[in-house]
Each structure stands twice: as C-alpha cells, then as structure tokens.
Amino acid sequence: MNVDKSADKSAVMNAVKSAATGRWYQALAEAQAALTAHALATVVTVAGSAPRGAGSKMLITPDTLHDSLGGGRLEQLVVERARERLARGQSGCLLEEIALGQHAQQCCGGHVQVLIELYPALAPRLALFGAGHVGQAIVTLLAPLGWQIDWRDSRPEQLTAATTPAGCEGRVARQAFNILTDLPTAKAAPASESLPVMAGSHVLVLTHDHVEDQALVAALAPRDDLASLGLIGSSSKWARFRQRLRGDLAEHQIARVRCPIGVPGIPGKRPEEIAIGVVAELLQIEARRSDEAAVNSSDKATGHGASLQGTSLDSHGLTRQGARQLRAHFAPDAMHQTETTQKAE
C-alpha cells in the first residue's frame, strides 16, 4: 500500500499551526456559531506543581486545538478523552481528577482537576436523493436553518444546475449517484452499507424515477441507524411499493418508511407548498429526537450518580478517595478548609 508521507506531514503541520494561532475564546465563538462539535477544557484546581494554573483553558474540536493546558501528556489525555466523547455525540460536563505523576508521567508531580464541557455537533443532517423542483425547494428552506445537506441525484447536469441559498454553500454537499449502476445488484451484496448516507441522517427519497425510488428504499430501510426515512408519493404508490418490498424486507423494516411525506392539511401541489409540508415534518421529527436524547442523557447521568464526577484518564483509575488523599498531601490547608466548609453545610 502506497502512503503519501508528505500529505501526512502536511496535515500534522496544519494541525499544529491551528493550535498555535487560535485563541480559545475566538474558536469557541466560531464553533458555537457554526454548530460544530467542540469541547472546552478548563483547569479548575491545582495542588502542587502543574504546567498551568487554575483558569487555563483550551478549545478542542475533532480536528484542531486552540490555546493550551501546558502541553505534555496531561494535555494529550484531556484531548483524547474530549474527542472520544465528541465522536460518540455525548454532551454535558466531566470533572477529571489527574495525578500528573501517576496518570500523566509528568515530573512536576502535582494534582489537577480539569472540567471538560462537551458540545456535540448540533446541526442535523439530511441525505436528499433528488434534485428536481421539490428537492430544490427543500434545500432552499432547510439550508438557511443550519441543516447539513448531502444532495444526491443520478443526473449530474441536474445537480450542477440546482441552486443553493446565498451563504449556505458550505452546508450543501453534492454528489452524482445512481443506485442502479453504482451499487452491486446481487441480493447478497451489502448495498445498505455502501450507500453514501451517514449514520444519524434523516433521509428523503424523491428522485425522478420510481425504479430508483424503490431501489433506494430497499437499500435504506434495513438500516436502523437513520434518524428517519421518507419517500415522496401518494398512498397508492406506497401500497404498490410495499407489496414489492415484502419479498426482500421484514415488516419492521418496511414500517420505517414514511409515505406520503409532509404534515397533513396543506392541499397545494406546487413544489414550494410540498416542500413546506415536508420541512415542517422534518423539524417536528428532529425536535422529538432532541427531546428524547435529552431525557435519556439525564436518566443515564442520574442512574450512574454522575453529574460532574468523571473517571480518571487512564485504565488504572483514580478513585474519589485517592483524589482526596492526593489533595491532602499536596495542599493540606486547602483540604482542611474544604472539610470544614462541608461540615458547616
């Protein structure tokens, strides 16, 4: 296998450069405005010798670093933990207890607590198959709302000619794709795994060809990692599709498909009117998903007795009792003051 070492070196240098030039507060404002995944790490307490003092901050994204917690293994561990959680889409706060000698192998040997605030990517994603009039109207409505749109069509010229709202070009990724020619046709082939659709995406199928529509639905319905799956068409169209799909799909897979799509009560048939109903339905579905995710996150935190109580950053672990002993060793006066305050409360 040929590896482009110069490209790897360039990528590393770019990452280092971004870390050296960006300030955490500037990067935080940009990340929150763009709804991209990021984490803010803050040194909240220091006992003994440490690379940076309390209040030092670093902004961490999946690809870049901004400012520093002092470098070395401490910083590396914090970055690894933050990116691991961001990759899983987790949110909330972690309070990490880190003994610099035991966990970070740093000679300064102090003890620090680092608060990591996690902000997962907030922009929902839509995989849109079809660049006809309705597809264009949907993009016109959704792109300004911050949605990331993966736009696919089997007609490259149609996809190229389709317009995107001004200022939203970076949110819309176009790709010519024809499921009838670009994927294996054998039943044993993992067509659903080869589709250009990211996990967690909402999907709308509204191509110009009913054969393409059916092939896409057949490949997408088995996937249980999609936020939603909708097919444009009438009830009679869906009845015919259901009958054809029963030979290859289970009933619970077919049940994942919404058809017709759009909120009821909008009688118009113009592309803009159809798009309004479809986008309204997507916004409702996404709002329900966000509410359910918030409830599940709260339940998990309560069930494990965790709010700001994180785990240590290495496989050996640092228990709360061990952390208290370390703080007592490095800062006995501060420890005594904390215990007195707790008794008073």
Side-chain angles (χ1 to χ4, degrees):
M1 181 176 65
N2 294 327
V3 179
D4 188 348
K5 294 184 178 180
S6 63
D8 290 343
K9 183 177 180 180
S10 176
V12 172
M13 292 302 294
N14 288 338
V16 171
K17 181 179 179 181
S18 66
T21 58
R23 299 304 304 273
W24 70 264
Y25 49 84
Q26 295 170 331
L28 177 63
E30 292 172 359
Q32 296 201 339
L35 303 178
T36 55
H38 58 284
L40 181 63
T42 306
V43 177
V44 291
T45 65
V46 174
S49 178
R52 296 287 299 275
S56 301
K57 296 179 183 291
M58 166 183 260
L59 197 284
I60 303 164
T61 77
D63 304 308
T64 61
L65 303 175
H66 305 270
D67 271 329
S68 173
L69 298 183
R73 180 65 176 157
L74 163 65
E75 186 170 292
Q76 180 185 354
L77 290 171
V78 172
V79 170
E80 289 174 354
R81 172 54 62 90
R83 285 179 171 166
E84 173 191 340
R85 298 298 180 93
L86 289 176
R88 296 203 298 262
Q90 294 186 1
S91 61
C93 297
L94 302 171
L95 185 62
E96 300 291 354
E97 305 268 7
I98 306 169
L100 297 180
Q102 179 183 354
H103 297 121
Q105 293 81 50
Q106 292 188 217
C107 296
C108 45
H111 173 270
V112 301
Q113 290 179 317
V114 180
L115 178 66
I116 303 176
E117 302 170 72
L118 298 165
Y119 300 89
L122 299 179
R125 182 175 292 271
L126 171 67
L128 177 61
F129 290 90
H133 297 304
V134 176
Q136 292 186 50
I138 290 172
V139 171
T140 298
L141 291 173
L142 270 186
L145 300 180
W147 283 56
Q148 298 291 323
I149 301 174
D150 300 316
W151 207 355
R152 315 293 186 227
D153 198 290
S154 60
R155 304 161 294 174
E157 68 284 353
Q158 181 77 13
L159 198 60
T160 301
T163 60
T164 300
C168 299
E169 293 81 5
R171 300 183 189 134
V172 180
R174 308 176 193 224
Q175 178 186 350
F177 175 78
N178 187 339
I179 190 171
L180 303 179
T181 59
D182 295 347
L183 291 184
T185 56
K187 286 187 178 181
S192 63
E193 298 178 7
S194 304
L195 280 169
V197 178
M198 293 180 60
S201 299
H202 297 271
V203 183
L204 290 177
V205 176
L206 35 93
T207 78
H208 67 294
D209 185 348
H210 282 200
V211 177
E212 284 189 40
D213 283 352
Q214 183 176 325
L216 283 165
V217 170
L220 288 162
R223 290 184 52 169
D224 59 5
D225 62 346
L226 301 178
S228 68
L229 174 57
L231 168 68
I232 197 168
S234 63
S235 298
S236 59
K237 173 184 176 180
W238 179 231
R240 289 194 298 272
F241 272 37
R242 282 179 64 92
Q243 189 63 34
R244 296 169 185 169
L245 292 170
R246 282 197 172 103
D248 299 319
L249 300 178
E251 282 298 323
H252 75 277
Q253 295 172 333
I254 296 176
R256 291 179 178 142
V257 184
R258 301 188 326 281
C259 185
I261 53 176
V263 297
I266 301 178
K269 299 297 183 181
R270 288 177 291 185
E272 294 79 7
E273 293 169 321
I274 296 172
I276 288 171
V278 172
V279 168
E281 183 181 45
L282 280 178
L283 295 176
Q284 290 175 341
I285 295 171
E286 180 61 22
R288 288 196 297 268
R289 291 183 69 241
S290 298
D291 290 343
E292 290 170 1
V295 170
N296 292 337
S297 178
S298 176
D299 289 345
K300 287 179 181 179
T302 303
H304 291 83
S307 54
L308 293 180
Q309 300 299 330
T311 56
S312 77
L313 291 176
D314 74 348
S315 58
H316 301 292
L318 177 64
T319 65
R320 293 179 66 185
Q321 181 180 0
R324 288 173 60 83
Q325 292 172 345
L326 283 168
R327 286 196 296 271
H329 173 74
F330 285 112
D333 294 338
M335 192 66 185
H336 174 73
Q337 183 177 3
T338 301
E339 291 176 347
T340 304
T341 303
Q342 289 175 342
K343 290 179 181 179
E345 293 175 350

